[in-house]
Amino acid sequence: MATSEVEALAPLATPVPDGPTELPFSELQWSTLLAIMDTVIPSIRRETTTNNKINQLTMSDVEYNKTVKHLKQTMANSPDSGSVDEYLDEYLDEKPSDNQRFQAMLQRTLSTFIRDDAKQGLSLILTTLNTRVGSLMLTGYATPFQDQPVHLRQTILDSWRVSYLTPLNTVHKQMTLIAKSTWLKTSPTYHRISGFTPVPNHYKPGSHYKYEFLQFPAGPGPEMVDVDVMIVGSGCGGAVCAKNLAEAGHRVLVADKSYYYPPEQLPMSEEQGAVHLFENGGAEMTDDASMGVIAGSAWGGGGTINWSASLQTQSFVRKEWAQDRGLTFFETAEYQNCLDRVCHRMGVSAEHIRHNHGNEVLLEGSRKLGYHAKAVPQNTGGATHYCGHCTLGCGAAEKQGPVVSWLPDAAKAGAKFVEGFKIERVIFDQANGKKKAVGVEGIWTSRNKNGGVNGPVSERIIRKVIVRAKKVIISCGTLWSPIVLMNSGLKNKQIGRNLYLHPVNLIAGVYKEDIRPWEGGILTSVCSTFENLDGHGHGVKLETTCMLPSLFLPLMNWNNGLDYKTQALKLRHTNGFISICRDRDTGRVYPDPTSGVPRCQYSPSAFDRAHIMEGLVALAKICYVTGATEIHASIQGLKPFIRDPDEDSTSEEQEDPGVTNPRFREWLEELRRIGNKPPTGTFVCAHQMGSNRMSSRPQDGVVDPKGKVWGTEDLYISDASVFPSASGVNPMVTNMAISDWISRGISKELRGANGKVEPRL
């Protein structure tokens, strides 16, 4: 489809809530911050057009023209030749301080999504950079940072990467990450010149269930609601529970702090989707800034923004949970029935997959190297679903997640829904010396008069709501469910502990072909050769990753501004891959002392990092044997491997050395030598598990084998937080199967063991 056609049929806009009206820092600090942003994404001009040598990176006309010629070679189907030079000039010249959208998003990120202690630390550094003594100490120059020419600022910024001062390492990592991400979401030129299409080809909104949400009038006192089962959270766990319990004849209410967006508003733009669909605007970081934590915060939870991968719990994980953890259910035929039941409902299959270039590379590269790789079943109901934008919502409504399948089933059986409800606590009575859950209370915020969530909050209804229930199920996810328990007064020391994150490092391969990696199913293949590196089920899987610009490119190394702008334009020739670890070692979730939102204390251990490194080496080899011309690793300080075309020109009499090529082997040795210990290694995670783990004994976990919270009555957890350890596969199907088991048990308790109404498929 032509670009004009794509633009003519696009999702409806989803305006974001009003941003902050005040800067998070003083005017002088903000000026210094923008100088840092302009250093990461600088204005680059040829010498004959430069008019500001402080804020413009100047190149000789010869070097500039050479750069433009190189960039033109990366622009397959580039704009018409008469305007390409003009477009490239605009692209190279743009910088954040000239972009109001960039500044507004930066202001929102720092004011709303960055925790207070991190802001205070950044504030101190920005202030120090504005003094002669402080600047001398942090930069080696007495001149304040923002008064330095941009080429010197780049040198200073890079020096922070290797500084012996940990706060400077952190500032380098966070500032470059924020600058790259914000620029890619707000750049006025990048989409046009890179060829990226923010709307999927052949876009057509799918049919969908017409949700009706409970509405409450304004009033001074709390609104009271009475149900049989209160489910807090609409994600993969809560949605399965809702279907099963509603179909068993129980009065079910599902509430979520997020809001529903229909297919005609999906996929969202990267700029709007970050705010509407992800926890903390997609800016969540572990305490030590070693890892980005990506979690869904939408109606449908992670099932709204995941990548359709539908892998069942593997035998060695089930054995560990049953035999080592004493949870015998996981080796029973009944657990397999639960797995099969949830997969059947979603039409999980690998039969209709059409692999894109990246997934074909993973399969073919694995074959050439003797690794084991296979297709990953998809929850797309038998549809091919060749779309790479689903992490911003599935506009085709083909992904059979909670919003498309489980919650409509629940509604048809009588379940009710509330969006915009943020739980404050579970309400308890005392019964037989135990806390007996009898409901929840929280704050409901309506939409505005136009049905959106933008505009001032003062124009929306805000009301306390108390729900009385016979059973309460908390399905708020691994980050929020332990916070809800803590806020409700539960003191079990295991709450929030045993956090698993499936940490990843990335490899990028650049190819000659115009592969448009944002098109096609995101994750349709997996290599499992390295999944059991310790003999106890810990290792890595090799997978493809989402290739939307602002979700992939920020994880690539920043060396200098010109290099980064150059690499960003190669996206259409690039495949990204992840070495995803089944982590042995854990962290914890706890509430921020100021805001109360979840915080993660976690750093990938040396044990787990070693496994991830094995995966990185294997991925680099896959890229090499499939013809990548450049190979990049998300390891700071490691130069990319650049293929020499002459090295691969072998006659019929010569043997092709493949991955034994001496220069490539030297690069792999350098990769291992530098290593991936933070902050050198850039880590990210999209799976959170275990913070309310299931256990056979009260002292070892938070919930019993049926999902009931130890030491309570009628309170259950049903989400990935109950995993006894890391699943080792994308957690959706495991989460759903456990929730199927838990909810069926709750139904039997409510109706009696001989209840006549059973949930249907």
Side-chain angles (χ1 to χ4, degrees), residues 517-538:
W518 53 83
E519 294 178 358
I522 299 172
L523 200 174
T524 60
S525 63
V526 61
C527 172
S528 57
T529 295
F530 306 92
E531 68 184 8
N532 190 15
L533 292 173
D534 71 339
H536 297 284
H538 299 103

Side-chain angles (χ1 to χ4, degrees), residues 283-435:
E284 191 70 48
M285 299 286 289
T286 55
D287 280 356
D288 63 355
S290 64
M291 188 182 312
V293 180
I294 301 172
S297 181
W299 183 255
T304 295
I305 51 93
N306 71 14
W307 305 347
S308 298
S310 302
L311 293 164
Q312 295 196 5
T313 325
Q314 292 175 278
S315 60
F316 61 86
V317 175
R318 293 172 64 174
K319 179 181 178 181
E320 176 196 313
W321 292 357
Q323 298 184 18
D324 297 349
R325 310 265 180 176
L327 300 165
T328 56
F329 165 68
F330 289 105
E331 281 194 310
T332 66
E334 183 55 34
Y335 181 60
Q336 186 59 50
N337 291 340
C338 294
L339 289 166
D340 291 341
R341 192 156 41 230
V342 300
C343 286
H344 177 75
R345 174 61 189 89
M346 296 187 293
V348 170
S349 171
E351 294 179 3
H352 304 277
I353 291 173
R354 174 188 166 199
H355 297 294
N356 66 5
H357 188 276
N359 284 282
E360 287 179 344
V361 161
L362 186 63
L363 291 168
E364 178 63 8
S366 295
R367 184 193 68 80
K368 287 184 173 182
L369 292 164
Y371 302 159
H372 178 264
K374 65 177 183 179
V376 172
Q378 307 284 294
N379 70 331
T380 53
T384 300
H385 195 59
Y386 195 74
C387 175
H389 291 71
C390 272
T391 201
L392 294 171
C394 183
E398 291 178 342
K399 182 169 65 177
Q400 301 295 303
V403 170
V404 174
S405 59
W406 303 95
L407 293 171
D409 286 354
K412 293 168 187 174
K416 304 298 182 184
F417 303 129
V418 178
E419 57 177 358
F421 175 85
K422 185 172 182 180
I423 183 174
E424 293 183 320
R425 67 183 182 96
V426 178
I427 303 170
F428 293 105
D429 285 343
Q430 287 295 126
N432 301 319
K434 289 186 176 181
K435 289 177 173 286

